[in-house]
Amino acid sequence: MNRALPREGLVEAGAYFYPVRVYYEDTDAAGLVYYANYLKFAERARTEMLRRLGIEQEKLREETGTVFVVRRCTIEFFMPARLDDDLVVATRLAHLGGASLELDQEVRREDAVLVGLSLAIAALGRSGRPQRLPAALRAAILSLNNTTNRMAHAR
Amino acid sequence: MNRALPREGLVEAGAYFYPVRVYYEDTDAAGLVYYANYLKFAERARTEMLRRLGIEQEKLREETGTVFVVRRCTIEFFMPARLDDDLVVATRLAHLGGASLELDQEVRREDAVLVGLSLAIAALGRSGRPQRLPAALRAAILSLNNTTNRMAHAR
Amino acid sequence: MNRALPREGLVEAGAYFYPVRVYYEDTDAAGLVYYANYLKFAERARTEMLRRLGIEQEKLREETGTVFVVRRCTIEFFMPARLDDDLVVATRLAHLGGASLELDQEVRREDAVLVGLSLAIAALGRSGRPQRLPAALRAAILSLNNTTNRMAHAR
Amino acid sequence: MNRALPREGLVEAGAYFYPVRVYYEDTDAAGLVYYANYLKFAERARTEMLRRLGIEQEKLREETGTVFVVRRCTIEFFMPARLDDDLVVATRLAHLGGASLELDQEVRREDAVLVGLSLAIAALGRSGRPQRLPAALRAAILSLNNTTNRMAHAR
């Protein structure tokens, strides 16, 4: 499916899909993608998802002082990715709180889920303290899909 | 305390302590250590810990076919590290199974714990299936400290 | 122009153009792209250029034993790239030898050249010694553009 | 010799020697150190050399506005480094100008030179324009060794 994915990814069925090609820089001497690099793929996908939803993080920071900070991340490694693999990162909203959100991400190769990530992200204001998510941001994130909760329950 | 730490780290009080200096390569435009890079620091510490315990992973692989694979990793980000920080990674055994082990790691700056990691690691044989840890390896890991469990309970 | 570039880049006017977005992972505490990371961008572009020209490096290695090795690289840093920049890597053939080639690469942001690279690359065979480039490979690389030499002279 | 090198390296015979261990993060699927990562090793060595000479770059920037920027870098790859290698980066002054300096760096494994780097570095002031090197900095760098020029000629 990723053959059809544009550089900037796409939103579909309550999730955001972002394509990642594996290059030498991503691999290690075991011939596989180095374990820390899945976090890079996941962060690229989150950045492009926000951009796709109309949110430029730098602009958001300048205008409202809001920055996003990862508080906790759980990664499960099911199968390794390899050089030249054409991967897809699927991202969906797991929970939206007042000053925080939780995302589930999967790194996939065709129909196989290689790596699963679960992230707790806090919104901080200029003071460094938790800050309520701006309404426009909240609406944008929720627009990701109104079927999100149903999907999460169905897992 | 890391001022006193040698390059190869040291074992003390049931844990292994490994020094890490933060360079430009580790930081990002937020002025902090990029979140994926703590996984690099943690992996360096695990490698040096094994070396310190007399285990060369490459030699182990050649002789017994055993490789270690991270199955699951949970990271909690409490406070950020910055350029030039002189950090210490503390590693201790949380659980030793027949073909797996669990490690707790902390990235510290002086007395503060910046990042906490909890890892489940599997030992695989040449076939790619779980393999019982070789006795010498088991003994080496246990030698890390017989006070480990007591410390874990005391947290 | 990169807005129009597809993920896999395109060949035009004797050069190959490949798009690169700058993410947090690419930047450092100075707020700019870390200097080593331009080499990653350049390698991604070379890999995709070859793929675009019909050459899968892994397949080439299996069938003919040929691998490419960078022997020398000169990088000039004119202006820095920043977070969120949408860059283009332009690659063209500077010289094609019997068992080697030279490439010129530029990292551009709109009309500005930020970084220039000049690489000498050797083809090695299974023995690790220089190996004449297979004819199909030579043809593919030359197909990059027959105006290449003229452009190089015109610089 | 690097077995004897402390974490922070040492100055000897007109050069600064800094130890680097190769971890999985540094390697790629070819089983070798990824070509861009030698630039990381080299930058670590330059940072520690300055620290060793009494110069904290962050403090220098705050007090005098001076920052160092790499303008040009030439890298020659003679032989590859591999996982677990215990390397040494040797750094020496090639030329000291009014607002710039040139450094030669070598990445070595025992007696073999694996990679050679030659860097032109500019000192910039708060305005982003070239700035004369502060006298204390100039003295510190020259203290690296008064035999430097002789050594450079003898190569």
Side-chain angles (χ1 to χ4, degrees):
Chain A
M1 98 163 260
N2 43 350
R3 207 152 268 279
L5 280 184
R7 260 186 86 197
E8 64 273 18
L10 60 79
V11 173
E12 195 179 86
Y16 169 75
F17 299 91
Y18 175 75
V20 171
R21 175 71 78 165
V22 176
Y23 297 108
Y24 270 109
E25 66 185 89
D26 304 311
T27 60
D28 68 18
L32 314 171
V33 168
Y34 183 67
Y35 85 136
N37 292 339
Y38 295 104
L39 285 181
K40 295 186 179 180
F41 300 168
E43 193 258 350
R44 290 181 206 170
R46 296 195 302 274
T47 299
E48 292 298 341
M49 181 182 76
L50 287 178
R51 206 189 316 271
R52 186 85 185 171
L53 296 174
I55 301 164
E56 289 279 344
Q57 292 184 72
E58 272 302 290
K59 206 176 155 201
L60 182 73
R61 189 179 59 77
E62 281 163 23
E63 290 176 0
T64 69
T66 304
V67 295
F68 294 111
V69 176
V70 176
R71 288 300 198 193
R72 198 186 63 246
C73 176
T74 298
I75 321 174
E76 287 182 282
F77 302 92
F78 304 116
M79 280 189 295
R82 293 168 192 281
L83 185 65
D84 287 334
D85 275 354
D86 205 6
L87 306 172
V88 173
V89 182
T91 305
R92 62 188 161 196
L93 184 64
H95 177 74
L96 185 60
S100 66
L101 64 160
E102 291 177 25
L103 296 177
D104 285 342
Q105 299 192 280
E106 288 179 348
V107 180
R108 300 176 185 174
R109 185 178 52 213
E110 299 181 359
D111 291 337
V113 176
L114 308 186
V115 173
L117 301 100
S118 179
L119 296 104
I121 296 171
L124 303 185
R126 288 202 177 82
S127 64
R129 301 226 185 107
Q131 179 173 57
R132 194 163 175 77
L133 293 166
L137 175 63
R138 179 176 297 273
I141 290 173
L142 281 174
S143 78
L144 178 58
N145 201 300
N146 50 17
T147 64
T148 299
N149 288 334
R150 190 165 51 79
M151 291 185 64
H153 289 162
R155 283 175 84 189
Chain B
M1 95 162 262
N2 44 351
R3 207 154 269 280
L5 280 183
R7 263 184 86 197
E8 65 273 19
L10 60 79
V11 173
E12 196 179 86
Y16 169 75
F17 299 91
Y18 175 75
V20 171
R21 175 72 78 165
V22 177
Y23 297 109
Y24 269 109
E25 67 185 90
D26 305 311
T27 61
D28 68 18
L32 313 172
V33 168
Y34 183 66
Y35 85 137
N37 292 339
Y38 295 104
L39 285 181
K40 295 186 179 180
F41 300 167
E43 192 258 349
R44 290 180 206 171
R46 295 194 303 275
T47 299
E48 292 298 340
M49 181 181 76
L50 287 179
R51 206 190 314 272
R52 186 85 184 170
L53 297 174
I55 301 164
E56 290 279 344
Q57 291 184 76
E58 272 303 288
K59 206 177 155 201
L60 182 73
R61 190 179 58 78
E62 281 163 24
E63 289 176 1
T64 69
T66 304
V67 295
F68 294 111
V69 176
V70 175
R71 287 300 197 195
R72 197 186 62 246
C73 175
T74 299
I75 321 176
E76 288 183 280
F77 302 91
F78 304 115
M79 281 190 294
R82 293 167 194 281
L83 185 65
D84 286 336
D85 275 354
D86 204 6
L87 307 172
V88 173
V89 182
T91 304
R92 62 189 161 196
L93 183 64
H95 177 74
L96 184 61
S100 67
L101 64 161
E102 291 177 25
L103 295 177
D104 285 342
Q105 298 191 280
E106 289 179 348
V107 180
R108 302 177 183 172
R109 185 178 51 213
E110 297 181 359
D111 289 338
V113 176
L114 307 186
V115 174
L117 301 102
S118 177
L119 297 105
I121 296 171
L124 304 184
R126 288 202 177 83
S127 64
R129 301 224 188 107
Q131 180 174 56
R132 192 162 177 78
L133 293 166
L137 175 63
R138 177 176 298 273
I141 290 172
L142 281 175
S143 78
L144 179 58
N145 202 301
N146 49 16
T147 66
T148 298
N149 288 333
R150 190 164 52 78
M151 290 186 64
H153 288 162
R155 283 176 85 185
Chain C
M1 98 161 261
N2 44 349
R3 207 154 270 279
L5 280 185
R7 260 185 88 198
E8 65 273 19
L10 60 77
V11 172
E12 196 179 86
Y16 169 75
F17 299 91
Y18 175 75
V20 171
R21 175 71 79 165
V22 177
Y23 297 109
Y24 270 109
E25 67 186 88
D26 304 311
T27 60
D28 68 19
L32 313 172
V33 169
Y34 183 66
Y35 85 137
N37 292 339
Y38 295 103
L39 285 181
K40 295 185 179 182
F41 300 167
E43 193 258 349
R44 291 181 205 171
R46 296 193 303 274
T47 299
E48 292 298 341
M49 181 181 76
L50 287 179
R51 207 190 314 272
R52 186 87 184 170
L53 297 174
I55 302 165
E56 291 278 345
Q57 292 183 73
E58 273 301 289
K59 207 177 155 200
L60 182 73
R61 189 179 58 78
E62 282 163 23
E63 289 177 359
T64 69
T66 304
V67 296
F68 295 111
V69 176
V70 176
R71 287 300 198 193
R72 199 186 60 246
C73 175
T74 298
I75 321 175
E76 288 183 281
F77 302 91
F78 304 117
M79 280 189 295
R82 293 168 193 281
L83 186 65
D84 286 334
D85 276 355
D86 204 5
L87 306 173
V88 173
V89 182
T91 304
R92 62 186 161 196
L93 183 64
H95 176 75
L96 185 61
S100 67
L101 65 161
E102 290 177 25
L103 296 176
D104 285 342
Q105 299 192 280
E106 288 179 348
V107 180
R108 301 177 185 173
R109 187 178 52 212
E110 298 181 0
D111 289 338
V113 176
L114 307 186
V115 173
L117 301 101
S118 179
L119 297 104
I121 295 171
L124 303 185
R126 288 201 178 83
S127 65
R129 300 225 186 107
Q131 180 173 56
R132 193 163 176 78
L133 293 167
L137 175 63
R138 177 176 298 273
I141 290 172
L142 281 174
S143 78
L144 179 58
N145 201 302
N146 51 17
T147 66
T148 299
N149 288 334
R150 191 164 51 78
M151 290 185 66
H153 288 163
R155 283 176 83 191
Chain D
M1 96 161 262
N2 44 351
R3 206 153 271 279
L5 280 183
R7 263 185 84 198
E8 65 274 20
L10 60 78
V11 172
E12 195 178 86
Y16 169 75
F17 298 91
Y18 176 75
V20 172
R21 174 72 77 166
V22 176
Y23 297 109
Y24 270 110
E25 67 186 270
D26 305 311
T27 59
D28 68 18
L32 313 172
V33 168
Y34 183 66
Y35 84 137
N37 292 339
Y38 295 103
L39 286 181
K40 295 186 178 180
F41 300 167
E43 193 258 349
R44 290 180 206 171
R46 296 194 302 274
T47 299
E48 292 298 340
M49 182 182 76
L50 287 179
R51 206 190 315 273
R52 185 87 185 170
L53 297 174
I55 302 165
E56 290 278 346
Q57 291 183 75
E58 272 303 288
K59 207 177 154 201
L60 182 73
R61 190 179 58 78
E62 282 163 22
E63 290 177 359
T64 68
T66 304
V67 295
F68 295 110
V69 176
V70 175
R71 289 299 197 195
R72 198 185 62 246
C73 174
T74 298
I75 321 175
E76 288 183 281
F77 302 91
F78 304 117
M79 281 189 293
R82 293 167 193 281
L83 185 65
D84 287 335
D85 276 354
D86 204 4
L87 306 173
V88 173
V89 182
T91 305
R92 61 187 163 195
L93 183 64
H95 178 74
L96 185 60
S100 67
L101 64 162
E102 291 176 25
L103 295 177
D104 286 342
Q105 298 191 280
E106 288 178 349
V107 180
R108 301 177 185 173
R109 185 177 54 212
E110 297 182 359
D111 290 337
V113 176
L114 307 186
V115 173
L117 302 99
S118 178
L119 297 105
I121 296 171
L124 304 184
R126 289 202 178 82
S127 64
R129 301 225 187 107
Q131 180 173 56
R132 192 163 177 78
L133 293 166
L137 176 63
R138 176 176 297 273
I141 290 172
L142 280 174
S143 78
L144 179 59
N145 203 302
N146 50 18
T147 66
T148 299
N149 288 334
R150 191 161 52 79
M151 289 184 67
H153 288 162
R155 282 176 87 189

